[in-house]
Amino acid sequence: MFNQLIKSLFKHRSKSLSDQCLDSGPIYDKILAGFDTLHNGNYTTALDLAQEILRDTPHQLDALLLQGISLTGLGEHEKAIPVLRELVTYLPENAGA
């Protein structure tokens, strides 16, 4: 169930992220870099980027997703759960995932 939630959130945010990157800026450059490092399996660097973004822009949805997936990839499930729950509160259409 946990993996299903992550996949659902990632699918939803990936499309949204692509749309938003038309208005690219420093935050989205960092988010794209974070997802690139995530796809390369470097969860620690992706987590660092997510946390840096969230320090400057709390509740930034893509950064929350990046943080949650990174924590999951690092096996830090207990830390990932509240992050992903917070993300779901902003995306109620995924609440049943």
Side-chain angles (χ1 to χ4, degrees):
M1 185 163 119
F2 189 69
N3 288 336
Q4 181 183 2
L5 172 64
I6 291 173
K7 286 178 184 177
S8 175
L9 291 169
F10 187 70
K11 181 179 177 184
H12 174 80
R13 295 308 300 160
S14 292
K15 181 183 182 319
S16 177
L17 180 61
S18 296
D19 295 342
Q20 291 173 7
C21 282
L22 295 173
D23 300 328
S24 187
I27 291 174
Y28 286 103
D29 291 344
K30 286 181 186 178
I31 290 168
L32 289 175
F35 278 106
D36 284 344
T37 58
L38 185 71
H39 287 294
N40 291 326
N42 192 337
Y43 299 109
T44 301
T45 301
L47 179 60
D48 290 344
L49 285 165
Q51 290 172 335
E52 182 181 334
I53 293 163
L54 290 167
R55 274 192 299 273
D56 297 334
T57 313
H59 312 295
Q60 206 291 333
L61 300 181
D62 298 304
L64 286 170
L65 178 60
L66 183 61
Q67 182 181 36
I69 293 173
S70 299
L71 288 166
T72 301
L74 291 168
E76 299 283 347
H77 297 102
E78 293 302 316
K79 292 180 182 177
I81 290 170
V83 172
L84 295 170
R85 281 191 178 143
E86 179 182 354
L87 181 59
V88 169
T89 65
Y90 297 110
L91 303 170
E93 68 274 9
N94 287 312

